[in-house]
Amino acid sequence: MDGHLALLDQTRLPAEVVQLVCRDVQSVWQAIRRLCVRGAPAIGIAAAYGVCLGVQTARDADLAAFQTRVDKICDYLATSRQTAVNLFWALDRMRAVAHQAAGCSAREWAARLLAEAQAIHQEDRQMCAEIGRHGADLLAELPAGAGILTHCNAGALATGGDGTALSILFELARRGRRPHVWVDETRPLLQGARLTTWELLQRGIEITLICDSMAAHVMRQGNVQAVVTGADRIAANGDVANKIGTYGVATLAKAHGIAFYVAAPTSTLDIALATGDQIPIEQRAAEEITHGFGRATAPAEVAVYNPAFDVTPAELIAGIVTEKGVVQPVTPATIAAWAARPPA
Amino acid sequence: MDGHLALLDQTRLPAEVVQLVCRDVQSVWQAIRRLCVRGAPAIGIAAAYGVCLGVQTARDADLAAFQTRVDKICDYLATSRQTAVNLFWALDRMRAVAHQAAGCSAREWAARLLAEAQAIHQEDRQMCAEIGRHGADLLAELPAGAGILTHCNAGALATGGDGTALSILFELARRGRRPHVWVDETRPLLQGARLTTWELLQRGIEITLICDSMAAHVMRQGNVQAVVTGADRIAANGDVANKIGTYGVATLAKAHGIAFYVAAPTSTLDIALATGDQIPIEQRAAEEITHGFGRATAPAEVAVYNPAFDVTPAELIAGIVTEKGVVQPVTPATIAAWAARPPA
């Protein structure tokens, strides 16, 4: 077997379209850590395929040895990033498949893992489409040409399909609603400027790129009718961890009477955490802020705080658009009902 | 006469400390436009000296010709930037000196202009010190080590003295209050990351650099007890134009119950404008956002909105710290009283 995982290296976009080929677990771990692949659902999918790469050269004598190997691979990949729960959710599914492999032949073990990774991938593609549909229904009352602001990248680059937040925008465009998208550049790594603009332009959607600090001014001018972002983890009470800056955007939206929506698949829900306060927030290197563009833009000795995510409390969220429909209002009860609901 | 104006080229900081020598009006105009010199009071001072450079080779036959020359120079320098009112205020003072020069000898004309520019410079230095004193009195009740957030650069680099907002922080430090300063990097041109950090580190003040999008998260964590920024123009009702992002910070401060203060000298007041809506907002080049660091960080064809300033409405401002004391509350009546008050 000579399997490999080919990823679009997102750190190089939009200047270069470069494929990154991963042939082992370590390179998948690196690709996730370095944000070559990013976005909560996409991380989960990449990790699932990473498990397959990890077992493809294995010649385990018995099932127990194989299962131990899968557990170790999953434990290792789980250390690549800490906030997005989809990573752990996908790895748990891979782990479960390995532990349900009794009765199979040794050669089937790896095939089952690959089938599970492909299922995770395919399901995500389907969930993106459903999210797009439900979200476009939700926003159907906005006037044609309405301004919609998004933060970071929750598009095709972040998922196995058309994205979460961006899937809604794509669907609105498909329905002829001509959304005008205000794209936050999203410091420090500029996922908005580099990735979201790239995706939206490819689909012919009208956009304006702004610095994160301009969102309040644009809202005050009356140019934003709704905000839609993705999510990296949703707690049982509806608090949402997402890219740093999301909480600020949600607070500003509230101050301007603008509805703030989150779009995410069920795999983003972490019902085990009562509130967002319990979500671990990844801290990243100071250099992302002080040397983000290849040269020093701050004094060398400066102290830096660089959380990759923040938590938006449920009360600021008008609705969570999922593949099963819209969770609205966002409360512990509606979140529990969402978790329990079968797929639409 | 071989006068010149030596400026620290702020576009090169903090990586390089480079002096820019201006020998004519055009180079002063360029220095202001390119932000080699920036900050509302500093722009006014630079422009005043620019007028002196413009007349130093003049051999005008009569006073009327000299006055026409000064008017033309002032008109030209006034086109360098449009939002900060201190520029026009300083040029008006230079113009007035030229028009009050009847009875002087021809060789005195230029000397009077130089004396006025030096007076503007010296007065600003004094105003900075007074603002520092009044602001530190105002913040005296904060606990030692309190977190104070600032946006952009309102320090020595922006003024003729110790700054406006930063003068208060320097004075608090001098009084042993050990402020911990949260420095917004201030996109797109990173005046916070490049300039404010540089100034504060030189004074041994404890700081943490953050991206603008992190301010809300830091506030929610309880780490900010007050916000202080500068101002580029203050309308008669107390609305404040300042660096883009200030309005967002003020809105976030209100949402978190944090007092938001503005520090500015009287020269920043534009009593002729009833409200902030009438303040012209400079739009700058898209490249500041898409190519801010020497390489493309967005697709070439993307539309960009790049206002250099925004307007913070008076109701979000807990007080304006001036050289005459603190304007508090901020209302048309208190602003009018401030304008009328003689220097303390």
Side-chain angles (χ1 to χ4, degrees), chain A residues 44-112:
Chain A
I45 296 164
Y49 283 120
V51 175
C52 301
L53 291 180
V55 298
Q56 71 177 343
T57 57
R59 296 287 175 271
D60 293 303
D62 58 44
L63 183 59
F66 174 76
Q67 289 168 338
T68 301
R69 177 188 300 272
V70 170
D71 286 342
K72 277 189 178 165
I73 293 168
C74 290
D75 289 346
Y76 169 66
L77 285 170
T79 63
S80 58
R81 295 195 72 190
Q82 68 186 100
T83 299
V85 77
N86 318 58
L87 171 64
F88 314 118
W89 168 87
L91 292 171
D92 283 347
R93 280 181 61 164
M94 298 303 282
R95 229 187 274 264
V97 165
H99 285 273
Q100 286 154 10
C104 302
S105 67
R107 55 188 309 238
E108 273 180 79
W109 298 338
R112 287 199 169 203

Side-chain angles (χ1 to χ4, degrees), chain A residues 124-135:
Chain A
D124 189 69
R125 204 175 283 134
Q126 184 60 30
M127 286 193 286
C128 288
E130 294 296 322
I131 287 170
R133 198 166 56 80
H134 293 304

Side-chain angles (χ1 to χ4, degrees), chain A residues 123 126-127 129-131 133-134 137 266 321-326 337-344:
Chain A
E123 288 165 28
Q126 184 60 30
M127 286 193 286
E130 294 296 322
I131 287 170
R133 198 166 56 80
H134 293 304
D137 289 349
T266 307
V321 184
T322 81
E323 79 279 11
K324 298 177 186 175
V326 182
W338 168 39
R341 200 181 313 166

Side-chain angles (χ1 to χ4, degrees), chain A residues 38-330:
Chain A
R38 43 143 298 285
I43 290 172
I45 296 164
Y49 283 120
V51 175
C52 301
L53 291 180
V55 298
Q56 71 177 343
T57 57
R59 296 287 175 271
D60 293 303
D62 58 44
L63 183 59
F66 174 76
Q67 289 168 338
T68 301
R69 177 188 300 272
V70 170
D71 286 342
K72 277 189 178 165
I73 293 168
C74 290
D75 289 346
Y76 169 66
L77 285 170
T79 63
S80 58
R81 295 195 72 190
Q82 68 186 100
T83 299
V85 77
N86 318 58
L87 171 64
F88 314 118
W89 168 87
L91 292 171
D92 283 347
R93 280 181 61 164
M94 298 303 282
R95 229 187 274 264
V97 165
H99 285 273
Q100 286 154 10
C104 302
S105 67
R107 55 188 309 238
E108 273 180 79
W109 298 338
R112 287 199 169 203
L113 286 177
L114 183 59
E116 186 69 6
Q118 287 167 335
I120 289 171
H121 191 176
Q122 174 54 31
E123 288 165 28
D124 189 69
R125 204 175 283 134
Q126 184 60 30
M127 286 193 286
C128 288
E130 294 296 322
I131 287 170
R133 198 166 56 80
H134 293 304
D137 289 349
L138 177 70
L139 299 181
E141 285 176 25
L142 290 182
I148 301 178
L149 187 140
T150 190
H151 188 76
C152 198
N153 174 268
L157 290 166
T159 63
D162 257 2
T164 52
L166 294 199
S167 177
I168 297 171
L169 304 179
F170 296 149
E171 180 61 23
L172 282 172
R174 230 174 264 125
R175 297 183 185 183
R177 306 298 299 161
R178 301 182 289 101
H180 183 107
V181 185
W182 295 86
V183 180
D184 271 1
E185 65 172 4
T186 316
R187 282 282 286 153
L189 296 183
L190 302 177
Q191 289 92 341
R194 296 189 299 107
L195 310 178
T196 299
T197 56
W198 191 73
E199 287 198 39
L200 291 168
L201 285 171
Q202 283 180 351
R203 309 272 188 134
I205 293 177
E206 201 180 307
I207 65 174
T208 303
L209 172 64
I210 56 173
C211 295
D212 305 325
S213 61
M214 296 169 187
H217 179 63
V218 173
M219 288 181 183
R220 188 169 163 85
Q221 291 180 313
N223 289 322
V224 179
Q225 278 67 56
V227 177
V228 189
T229 75
D232 287 84
R233 194 183 307 206
I234 302 176
N237 72 338
D239 290 353
V240 167
N242 191 47
K243 175 57 55 197
I244 186 72
T246 303
Y247 166 59
V249 171
T251 305
L252 293 172
K254 183 175 187 185
H256 293 86
I258 298 165
F260 175 87
Y261 297 105
V262 167
T266 307
S267 56
T268 310
L269 181 62
D270 187 354
I271 208 83
L273 299 187
T275 75
D277 295 341
Q278 297 166 263
I279 299 174
I281 299 295
E282 177 186 358
Q283 302 292 327
R284 295 187 60 90
E287 288 69 29
E288 287 185 353
I289 296 179
T290 59
H291 292 71
F293 306 89
R295 66 182 176 92
T297 52
E301 64 274 35
V302 74
V304 172
Y305 179 53
N306 186 16
F309 304 93
D310 59 24
V311 174
T312 299
E315 61 261 30
L316 294 180
I317 305 169
I320 299 176
V321 184
T322 81
E323 79 279 11
K324 298 177 186 175
V326 182
V327 181
Q328 194 178 31
V330 181

Side-chain angles (χ1 to χ4, degrees), chain A residues 8-46:
Chain A
L8 186 57
D9 184 348
Q10 299 190 28
T11 65
R12 310 284 282 273
L13 288 173
E16 298 170 286
V17 178
V18 177
Q19 247 193 14
L20 179 75
V21 175
C22 300
R23 298 189 184 278
D24 54 33
V25 181
Q26 287 72 22
S27 58
V28 174
W29 188 96
Q30 280 289 345
I32 295 172
R33 172 63 69 99
R34 293 206 309 112
L35 277 53
C36 303
V37 59
R38 43 143 298 285
I43 290 172
I45 296 164

